[in-house]
Amino acid sequence: MEKLAGVDADFKVMFEKHAARAQRLRTEPWQNRKKLIKSFGEFVIQNRHRIHEALKADLGKSETETDISEVFPLITEIKHAVRELGNWVEPEPIDAPITYLGTTSELQYEPKGACLIIGPWNFPFMLTLGPLVSCLAAGNTAIIKPSELTPHTSQLMRDMVKEFFEEDLVTVIEGDAQVATQLLKLPFDHIFFTGSTSVGKIVMRAAADHLCSVTLELGGKSPTIIDASANLNDAAKRIAFGKFLNVGQACVAPDYILIDKTVELEFIDLLKQNISKLYAANGSINSQSPDYGRIVNARNFNRIDALVQDAIQLGAKVELNGASDATSRFFHPVILSGVPTDSKIMEEEIFGPVLPIISFSSEEEILPIILARPKPLGFYIFSTRKAFQQKLTESVSAGAVCINDCVLQFTHPNLPFGGTNASGFGKAHGRYGFLAFSNEKPVLKQKRGITMSSFLYPPFNNRVKRTINLMLRWL
Ligand code: NAD
């Protein structure tokens, strides 16, 4: 092993155990992984009540929201992997060109080895254990560092992992940035990081020391476009769900809306009605609303509040607001219109229940606003005009595009999930998650006797030169 100066001795010992187990795993039948993942899925379902309790304590999530946004996506990932693993591990035969006549080649999917998964706090269970499924499916070991900002869920994952997995296969190490910094000094074979763009850069720098591959699942400002042809009621209903799920603390939440001026007022009215339908069970949305969660901590509560105040000071109009409560971290949904593009809320990812709306009089105004910002994770277009959908889809580089809905691209098991540049790189979910944790290793087998390449061996006489000329002509 490389020299590891300044790393906690316990972490080093744990890493060595994982590295040794990862080596043994390479020759074990893939069916063992399938069995393990399948029974882990059953274990998760048996422990649903513990997951409900932890998410309630950390993020004020209702049981149903926890089922929809934490348990269901994880179980989907697990069932998909169990069903498909046999296909994913199958080596892929590769055709030989004429110059390789007589050889046979295939791509084998080998496990990368000892992996590190660093999780975020916003969907802390699913976004930490989802990558674990891909990691195990590909035949690796995992050390997991969950977010310290959701301590109940973090502790639950530590307990569940301890109860279910062998320690040298999966280990949860709890802690903050300092612990993550220590772990990042170890020579992992792959790091799967979900979190902010700024920490993503730190992770990538650390990975460079060991030339370790990384998957970075980051965030960003996902633009949402609504033109005059869109079905406004559908748009309002779907955006109300996508934006206020987990109180807007979702990496794929619509971040801001660009809307045709002629339909702006009607849309805002419909959006307000739809938000009420979702959350105002008792006539208003308040700290007693059962299906509306909480902001994770006071720092984020104050950060979001400051973004709203800054936009208002710069001239934004408040279309929807209500009493928030800092003590219980209940943040009332906010809709702002006429938001200046140079306000702070249009610079950083909002990650909260605030939706800025900017209207356009001409479609030419749309692209400059989007392209002035880093490449987003999601891009949402509400329109019935195919040419408009296509033009925007082609013009904007984004992690994913979703037309006439939002957020749904995340849970589709056959679609890769991830960003591009500032919103991250590398893909997660299903086969793409399996590939993220695999090395696609070509294996070439040569035949006996004379081979095509032997015609190019020295001495470089006229025969070799003629062969080269032939190849240049016929390749
Ligand atoms: P974060 O970057 O603050 O923290 C993520 C993890 O990194 C935590 O486990 C944390 O302990 C660790 N960390 C913090 N500082 C570190 C350091 N200096 N070195 C190493 N590790 C460190 O992110 P967050 O606040 O937990 O999550 C919110 C962000 O994550 C948002 O930007 C959101 O868009 C993004 N996100 C992306 C996805 C996705 O799948 N693309 C999903 C959820 C969240």
Side-chain angles (χ1 to χ4, degrees):
M1 199 163 106
E2 295 170 47
K3 222 172 128 223
L4 298 170
V7 182
D8 184 301
D10 290 345
F11 295 171
K12 224 189 285 192
V13 169
M14 184 57 71
F15 176 82
E16 278 162 9
K17 284 186 191 166
H18 273 243
R21 178 71 184 264
Q23 181 57 34
R24 294 200 300 278
L25 281 181
R26 303 176 71 83
T27 50
E28 281 187 16
W30 62 268
Q31 286 87 348
N32 291 3
R33 313 173 198 166
K34 179 175 162 171
K35 261 189 234 150
L36 184 77
I37 294 168
K38 186 164 185 268
S39 60
F40 181 57
E42 287 154 10
F43 181 68
V44 168
I45 302 264
Q46 283 157 17
N47 284 279
R48 218 164 124 199
H49 60 286
R50 292 165 82 187
I51 306 166
H52 289 156
E53 279 166 19
L55 270 299
K56 182 81 193 165
D58 283 331
L59 289 160
K61 282 197 194 190
S62 68
E63 288 185 5
T64 312
E65 186 171 336
T66 294
D67 278 340
I68 292 172
S69 65
E70 302 273 3
V71 180
F72 181 69
L74 179 63
I75 295 297
T76 304
E77 188 78 56
I78 287 174
K79 291 203 164 171
H80 188 62
V82 169
R83 245 189 334 264
E84 297 295 331
L85 189 55
N87 295 325
W88 297 343
V89 295
E90 198 61 37
E92 188 190 335
I94 303 293
D95 287 344
I98 183 98
T99 42
Y100 281 78
L101 211 63
T103 65
T104 53
S105 296
E106 64 181 20
L107 269 189
Q108 292 183 4
Y109 301 96
E110 70 165 1
K112 282 194 173 170
C115 300
L116 173 66
I117 296 171
I118 301 181
W121 55 262
N122 62 331
F123 293 96
F125 193 75
M126 179 263 293
L127 288 175
T128 310
L129 298 185
L132 174 66
V133 175
S134 303
C135 180
L136 294 175
N140 303 284
T141 65
I143 289 183
I144 298 174
K145 209 300 280 170
S147 173
E148 70 281 18
L149 299 190
T150 38
H152 296 88
T153 313
S154 180
Q155 195 179 331
L156 173 65
M157 288 191 283
R158 188 196 63 196
D159 293 347
M160 283 178 67
V161 160
K162 223 173 187 168
E163 288 160 34
F164 187 83
F165 292 106
E166 288 160 345
E167 194 192 44
D168 59 353
L169 181 65
V170 186
T171 309
V172 170
I173 296 180
E174 288 187 280
D176 56 11
Q178 271 185 330
V179 168
T181 306
Q182 286 278 311
L183 290 172
L184 285 170
K185 288 184 182 157
L186 294 162
F188 283 99
D189 296 301
H190 188 70
I191 301 171
F192 191 105
F193 170 80
T194 306
S196 59
T197 302
S198 55
V199 178
K201 290 180 188 173
I202 297 172
V203 169
M204 197 164 161
R205 272 187 216 113
D209 278 347
H210 302 291
L211 292 177
C212 167
S213 58
V214 289
T215 302
L216 299 180
E217 295 286 350
L218 312 177
K221 294 184 79 61
S222 299
T224 303
I225 314 302
I226 305 172
D227 78 355
S229 77
N231 181 317
L232 294 184
N233 199 28
D234 282 353
K237 199 184 290 180
R238 294 164 193 181
I239 291 170
F241 173 73
K243 177 69 192 184
F244 297 98
L245 177 76
N246 203 26
V247 204
Q249 302 168 116
C251 55
V252 285
D255 189 274
Y256 61 95
I257 288 183
L258 300 178
I259 188 166
D260 188 307
K261 203 173 189 50
T262 59
V263 293
E264 184 186 17
L265 290 181
E266 189 185 346
F267 172 74
I268 290 175
D269 200 39
L270 286 165
L271 184 61
K272 288 200 270 192
Q273 286 174 31
N274 276 287
I275 296 171
S276 288
K277 269 190 216 158
L278 296 184
Y279 298 112
N282 308 317
S284 70
I285 305 174
N286 54 50
S287 59
Q288 304 308 310
S289 297
D291 294 330
Y292 192 77
R294 296 290 178 273
I295 300 298
V296 67
N297 58 17
R299 193 173 70 82
N300 271 293
F301 188 98
N302 295 333
R303 179 187 61 78
I304 301 162
D305 191 42
L307 292 179
V308 174
Q309 299 317 321
D310 174 73
I312 294 172
Q313 259 180 16
L314 290 175
K317 181 177 168 207
V318 179
E319 300 283 355
L320 175 72
N321 202 352
S324 293
D325 174 31
T327 320
S328 63
R329 291 173 281 112
F330 163 78
F331 203 111
H332 193 284
V334 176
I335 303 175
L336 301 170
S337 65
V339 178
T341 50
D342 60 352
S343 53
K344 285 199 188 102
I345 207 164
M346 286 303 293
E347 274 169 20
E348 65 178 82
E349 182 182 13
I350 299 170
F351 226 60
V354 181
L355 190 53
I357 298 180
I358 297 173
S359 64
F360 57 83
S361 313
S362 147
E363 283 169 16
E364 307 305 309
E365 295 166 38
I366 298 174
L367 283 181
I369 294 176
I370 300 175
L371 299 182
R373 290 163 175 75
K375 292 178 187 174
L377 185 59
F379 181 35
Y380 307 123
I381 305 163
F382 288 86
S383 167
T384 53
R385 292 185 299 143
K386 288 223 164 72
F388 181 72
Q389 296 169 0
Q390 189 179 341
K391 184 184 168 211
L392 286 181
T393 303
E394 287 172 357
S395 305
V396 175
S397 178
V401 175
C402 184
I403 295 172
N404 291 320
D405 212 326
C406 55
V407 173
L408 278 194
Q409 76 278 11
F410 180 83
T411 42
H412 194 310
N414 295 328
L415 287 177
F417 179 76
T420 176
N421 292 125
S423 48
F425 40 79
K427 301 293 180 196
H429 295 180
R431 177 162 194 266
Y432 301 92
F434 168 85
L435 290 177
F437 284 100
S438 302
N439 175 36
E440 292 169 72
K441 186 167 76 177
V443 177
L444 183 149
K445 288 183 192 159
Q446 184 60 284
K447 68 180 178 69
R448 288 178 58 195
I450 294 176
T451 66
M452 290 297 272
S453 52
S454 64
F455 290 110
L456 298 177
Y457 291 170
F460 294 137
N461 51 25
N462 283 339
R463 184 184 51 83
V464 173
K465 287 176 187 160
R466 272 200 308 278
T467 309
I468 292 173
N469 287 338
L470 257 176
M471 284 167 69
L472 288 173
R473 265 180 53 206
W474 294 111
L475 272 185

